[in-house]
Amino acid sequence: MRVPAPAKINLHLRVGPPRADDSGFHPLLTWMVTAGLFDTLTFVRDAGRKRDDDHARADGSASIFALACSDPALPTDSAGNLVTRVALALADTLSRVGEGSTARGAMRARETGRVSAFLNKRIPPGAGLAGGSSDAVATLIALNRIWDAGWSREKLSAFAAQFGSDLSFFFTAAADDGSAICTGRGEVVRPTPPPDTGRWAILALPKFPMSTPAVYRRFDEMNLGDERSIIEEPDFAGWSKLPAAELMPRLINDLEPPAFSLRPELGEMRAAMEKNFGRVFRMSGSGSSVFSLCDRFDEAQSLATRLRNEMSVDAIAVEIAPKVTWETAAT
Ligand code: C5P
């Protein structure tokens, strides 16, 4: 079974002051869209394997899933890769609960035995594009079918939310248009129309990753959290009708000042891009990727070429909210 895992871009990202409870998370108001840059996950059942091996493990789950990755630098264990973490957590949950469709899934997981997964990594880690979260959602959608667990999308999404703020978005994106307003810590997702004409983006991919917790820590050190920014909601549906050149200046990312404070060269690169190309560029998520929307694909493509040639910045043209049918793509 092969499942595509798209990247996301935060078109607009407002961040409030950290929550008073101990969670440490920041309340968000963000407009997220999927982007046409994909990781691909391939899942195969290990048919030749002795079933007894799987039962031999004390926790019944550790031997049930194994991950390999096209990028040898990327960890594949449950501590370092969200794909393995959610797979083992799902196997563990299925083996514990013993009623209804869940029992069927537990039985099927044991019967079919171990699943091997291969992750073809194209979305750079630490770029603010949520590749790891998207991979994890693709994994849950695939294993739900392979292990015949019979979980609804809502149940999978609720289960996934414990593993990160971005996962819920991808479940909604899988069912809708790949465009949503996300609030709470990011897990409260409401579909919204994607940009009408600004359906293409030039995406600049600096070589260095950004650490999301470090960017949020610097945001707090700089005392930037303002409650009003997450309460006063713009007219996103109205914004979606604007041409790219009118939409871009309205978009804000509150994590730009802390990210540029941690990595001044990122802020300098953005400023140089805006000056050289005479258009607005925004950072996605906590960085390091930077984007600008375009009304036409050839415009995005020629900008990507110019960025590579004139500024030596790795850049690609991507479709915004591409049509991805997760279920039919899974063959
Ligand atoms: O949920 P995710 O794995 O993306 O979060 C990574 C880190 O980013 C969290 O551990 C937290 O430090 C920070 N974060 C936050 N508020 C959010 C989302 C993330 O402080 N709403």
Side-chain angles (χ1 to χ4, degrees):
M1 181 184 288
R2 288 181 73 215
V3 188
K8 63 85 175 151
I9 292 175
N10 298 83
L11 296 182
H12 187 72
L13 173 57
R14 306 307 310 265
V15 182
R19 282 186 176 156
D21 60 27
D22 281 335
S23 71
F25 278 91
H26 297 71
L28 306 179
L29 170 64
T30 180
W31 182 9
M32 292 220 272
V33 291
T34 51
L37 170 63
F38 297 89
D39 288 344
T40 310
L41 285 121
T42 310
F43 300 87
V44 265
R45 291 182 189 137
D46 283 357
R49 190 183 165 82
K50 282 203 204 82
R51 285 180 197 169
D52 286 353
D53 291 354
D54 293 324
H55 292 283
R57 291 287 180 104
D59 67 3
S61 66
S63 64
I64 210 145
F65 185 84
L67 177 67
C69 181
S70 59
D71 178 356
L74 213 69
T76 52
D77 61 337
S78 63
N81 199 304
L82 210 50
V83 165
T84 307
R85 205 177 314 154
V86 298
L88 294 186
L90 181 66
D92 192 42
T93 305
L94 292 177
S95 69
R96 272 187 225 198
V97 185
E99 58 184 49
S101 58
T102 311
R104 197 177 48 156
M107 195 178 68
R108 186 57 75 93
R110 283 197 296 270
E111 267 174 15
T112 52
R114 174 174 151 135
V115 168
S116 292
F118 181 73
L119 167 57
N120 193 3
K121 197 77 195 151
R122 303 276 308 283
I123 307 170
L129 301 171
S133 301
S134 188
D135 295 343
V137 169
T139 301
L140 288 172
I141 289 174
L143 293 179
N144 186 43
R145 289 177 66 168
I146 292 173
W147 288 338
D148 196 18
W151 284 18
S152 66
R153 197 176 288 276
E154 291 70 30
K155 186 169 175 176
L156 277 178
S157 178
F159 177 77
Q162 64 183 302
F163 300 100
S165 312
D166 292 331
L167 278 76
S168 307
F169 164 74
F170 287 105
F171 282 102
T172 303
D176 286 288
D177 262 349
S179 171
I181 306 304
C182 305
T183 55
R185 55 179 272 210
E187 85 288 10
V188 183
V189 185
R190 192 177 80 232
T192 197
D196 220 1
T197 62
R199 289 300 282 265
W200 309 98
I202 152 87
L203 189 59
L205 303 165
K207 292 261 178 289
F208 52 86
M210 294 298 290
S211 154
T212 303
V215 172
Y216 275 103
R217 266 197 308 276
R218 181 58 62 94
F219 177 86
D220 291 341
E221 285 160 13
M222 294 168 78
N223 210 11
L224 293 172
D226 181 351
E227 201 67 48
R228 278 168 307 178
S229 58
I230 52 159
I231 292 170
E232 290 160 14
E233 194 169 316
D235 173 17
F236 287 113
W239 282 14
S240 73
K241 298 194 167 53
L242 297 173
E246 284 178 44
L247 175 56
M248 279 309 299
R250 288 172 164 79
L251 303 176
I252 295 171
N253 182 340
D254 285 331
L255 295 181
E256 283 177 358
F260 297 167
S261 158
L262 283 172
R263 275 282 191 171
E265 65 268 47
L266 185 56
E268 286 155 16
M269 182 194 88
R270 200 271 295 267
M273 281 161 55
E274 292 197 326
K275 183 164 172 282
N276 291 352
F277 298 105
R279 55 164 55 232
V280 175
F281 283 87
R282 287 274 167 266
M283 193 176 79
S284 175
S286 52
S288 56
S289 67
V290 172
F291 71 92
S292 187
L293 294 176
C294 300
D295 295 321
R296 295 195 328 269
F297 178 66
D298 58 348
E299 187 188 359
Q301 210 175 25
S302 80
L303 276 168
T305 308
R306 282 187 60 198
L307 260 177
R308 285 193 297 267
N309 293 346
E310 295 171 27
M311 294 182 66
S312 302
V313 175
D314 207 1
I316 51 172
V318 293
E319 187 178 356
I320 293 297
K323 278 270 165 274
V324 185
T325 316
W326 266 259
E327 299 298 347
T328 54
T331 52

